[in-house]
Amino acid sequence: TEEKVSLLLYNSPGVERLGIPAYNWWNEALHGVGRAGRATVFPQAIGMAATFNDALLQQVATVISNEARAKYNIAVKNNNRGQYLGLTFWSPNINIFRDPRWGRGHETYGEDPLLTGRMGTAFVKGMQGDDPRYYKTVACAKHFAVHSGPEHSRHSFNAVVSANDLHNTYLPAFKKLVTEAKVGGVMCAYNRLDSLPCCGSSFLLQDILRKEWGFKGYLVTDCWALDDIFRYHQYVKTPEEAAAIAIKNGVNVECGNTLNTLQNAMKQGLLTELDIDASLAINLEVLMKLGWFDKQDKTAFAQLGEKDINNEAGRQLARKTAAQSMVLLKNSNNTLPLSKNLQRILVTGPNADDINVLLANYNGNSGNMVTVLEGITSAVSSSTVIYHNRGCDLTD
């Protein structure tokens, strides 16, 4: 039982006697393979949504999954089983961005359920691939559900929405990704929905996700969300109770360590070992479909390697995506494009010479980052005088 419980944790140590290697389920790919060193960095999700080009986004996700498999192949050869080098990616974020004060809205595809569903579906298809036997990688639709701020109280917030708003605004994108894109993973949210913690809600996780939509993949908690159930929501009093309701309602992987209390929960009669078996079976199936237990050269993606990581084709696709993400509102008197031989140019704004605005969050590192200031400097004549002034700060 102790071994079974360990396989439900995101940082699973594996079971050596059964030939199950260590595996870390936590990997990021919001707009490129994230937190794993060198990778092609595509525009942030909100920018890619502004292209309104779902076919282009599927191409982007295909490049991301190529790089992900390549990194995984190299890591396995080097016996590196560390975090951010696996094949289960906690992307895309398909929450609906209704309030610009929400600090994570830039991770989403915006405020429109239809566009979010279309873009999210394209992303999942590109990530998971179309091989009849293996997942290329496994995507994860998050955060389920009605998770869009306020950020400061997300661990205790109770989202109360009408049935109309729930089913016509907040759930359509999730439904599309589950029923059409066949997304392999779903992440439950920190908050409560109508007083029920999302990671322990039979309404969300059983009635809608598993029964109505027929979801067959793995369900992962947002990080340390099970702690919130007893610590901040105060829905139950103990970690054992929180662990039990999560498992009994379909959670398969925990980002956190509350599930370590499952053996105590069994002793208290809160659940049985059969409940744990049912949860674990799905995890093992997902890993099997990724080829985790097979010899590497048996999978369809064994040829991916160093040549596929941050290569010229990927950088050109990132540039094309960035160009399509921009909206030119007006070009008075054909001011643009600017002449390269202007006498003087002022480059201003708090992001004009900022690397962070290029990388966004959940990002990789490209190794060839060019700020707006540097790009303009390299594009104009050597006789052009360039002034740079931040003008203001983003915050005071």
Side-chain angles (χ1 to χ4, degrees):
T1 308
E2 183 179 351
E3 291 172 335
K4 292 177 183 179
V5 171
S6 76
L7 295 172
L8 301 176
L9 303 177
Y10 80 97
N11 52 351
S12 164
V15 181
E16 187 176 352
R17 70 181 185 85
L18 296 178
I20 301 176
Y23 184 68
N24 197 304
W25 291 77
W26 186 348
N27 306 279
E28 302 289 354
L30 181 65
H31 55 115
V33 179
R35 300 178 176 178
R38 182 160 47 89
T40 305
V41 180
F42 292 93
Q44 178 59 291
I46 195 73
M48 292 195 288
T51 69
F52 286 81
N53 189 340
D54 52 346
L56 179 66
L57 184 56
Q58 186 165 341
Q59 292 177 40
V60 167
T62 298
V63 169
I64 294 172
S65 58
N66 283 345
E67 294 195 15
R69 267 286 175 174
K71 283 180 171 288
Y72 165 77
N73 290 344
I74 295 168
V76 170
K77 287 178 182 177
N78 293 332
N79 197 31
N80 186 352
R81 303 281 185 176
Q83 190 172 2
Y84 305 129
L85 293 170
L87 294 171
T88 46
F89 288 89
W90 294 351
S91 306
N93 183 342
I94 56 169
N95 291 134
I96 299 302
F97 186 21
R98 276 189 156 178
D99 188 331
R101 295 170 297 180
W102 181 35
R104 295 182 65 178
H106 54 274
E107 298 176 18
T108 75
Y109 299 126
E111 76 278 14
D112 183 74
L114 176 62
L115 179 65
T116 298
R118 292 272 302 259
M119 300 303 269
T121 294
F123 186 88
V124 170
K125 288 181 176 179
M127 288 296 291
Q128 297 190 167
D130 56 5
D131 187 85
R133 181 175 175 82
Y134 292 105
Y135 281 128
K136 193 176 182 187
T137 69
V138 173
C140 178
K142 66 182 187 184
H143 311 80
F144 190 61
V146 197
H147 179 78
S148 54
E151 191 71 5
H152 71 279
S153 58
R154 62 182 178 170
H155 296 285
S156 59
F157 183 68
N158 182 29
V160 179
V161 297
S162 68
N164 176 50
D165 216 14
L166 177 66
H167 291 282
N168 290 322
T169 303
Y170 290 107
L171 294 186
F174 283 100
K175 181 178 181 180
K176 189 174 181 68
L177 265 63
V178 169
T179 61
E180 183 177 324
K182 307 298 182 185
V183 68
V186 170
M187 177 182 285
C188 52
Y190 287 123
N191 54 280
R192 280 172 288 154
L193 174 63
D194 290 333
S195 299
L196 293 177
C198 291
C199 287
S201 170
S202 59
F203 170 68
L204 276 179
L205 308 184
Q206 290 293 334
D207 297 346
I208 293 180
L209 186 61
R210 298 285 190 189
K211 296 176 183 176
E212 183 179 337
W213 297 347
F215 178 63
K216 304 296 185 186
Y218 85 100
L219 181 66
V220 59
T221 72
D222 206 341
C223 293
W224 285 267
L226 296 191
D227 277 19
D228 295 346
I229 294 177
F230 65 90
R231 197 181 302 277
Y232 301 115
H233 295 307
Q234 297 183 344
Y235 184 74
V236 294
K237 293 182 179 180
T238 68
E240 287 84 359
E241 291 175 293
I245 66 169
I247 292 297
K248 292 178 79 169
N249 284 302
V251 166
N252 308 103
V253 175
E254 182 197 10
C255 183
N257 51 27
T258 301
L259 291 188
N260 279 324
T261 66
L262 278 174
Q263 290 197 81
N264 286 337
M266 287 174 56
K267 292 174 183 177
Q268 296 172 23
L270 298 173
L271 79 169
T272 69
E273 189 157 4
L274 290 177
D275 296 315
I276 294 174
D277 291 348
S279 180
L280 176 57
I282 292 176
N283 294 359
L284 297 176
E285 182 180 357
V286 169
L287 293 175
M288 285 176 184
K289 289 181 178 179
L290 281 165
W292 183 249
F293 300 104
D294 298 349
K295 292 182 179 179
Q296 252 189 300
D297 59 2
K298 299 298 183 184
T299 69
F301 316 107
Q303 78 284 1
L304 294 168
E306 193 69 45
K307 70 184 186 305
D308 302 291
I309 299 172
N310 191 31
N311 58 24
E312 181 60 25
R315 289 193 292 272
Q316 288 301 319
L317 182 61
R319 185 183 183 92
K320 177 181 178 180
T321 308
Q324 290 196 21
S325 76
M326 299 176 191
V327 179
L328 178 62
L329 297 181
K330 192 175 185 179
N331 191 15
S332 299
N333 302 319
N334 294 316
T335 301
L336 299 177
L338 295 175
S339 168
K340 293 185 177 183
N341 297 312
L342 291 174
Q343 293 182 359
R344 295 177 301 279
I345 291 178
L346 168 66
V347 183
T348 187
N351 290 325
D353 196 32
D354 191 334
I355 291 296
N356 287 329
V357 78
L358 303 179
L359 294 177
N361 68 334
Y362 291 116
N363 59 282
N365 294 299
S366 74
N368 51 348
M369 295 175 283
V370 181
T371 67
V372 174
L373 175 64
E374 290 172 333
I376 290 175
T377 300
S378 66
V380 299
S381 168
S382 58
S383 66
T384 299
V385 177
I386 299 171
Y387 300 94
H388 170 231
N389 193 310
R390 285 176 57 85
C392 66
D393 293 323
L394 290 173
T395 58
D396 62 22

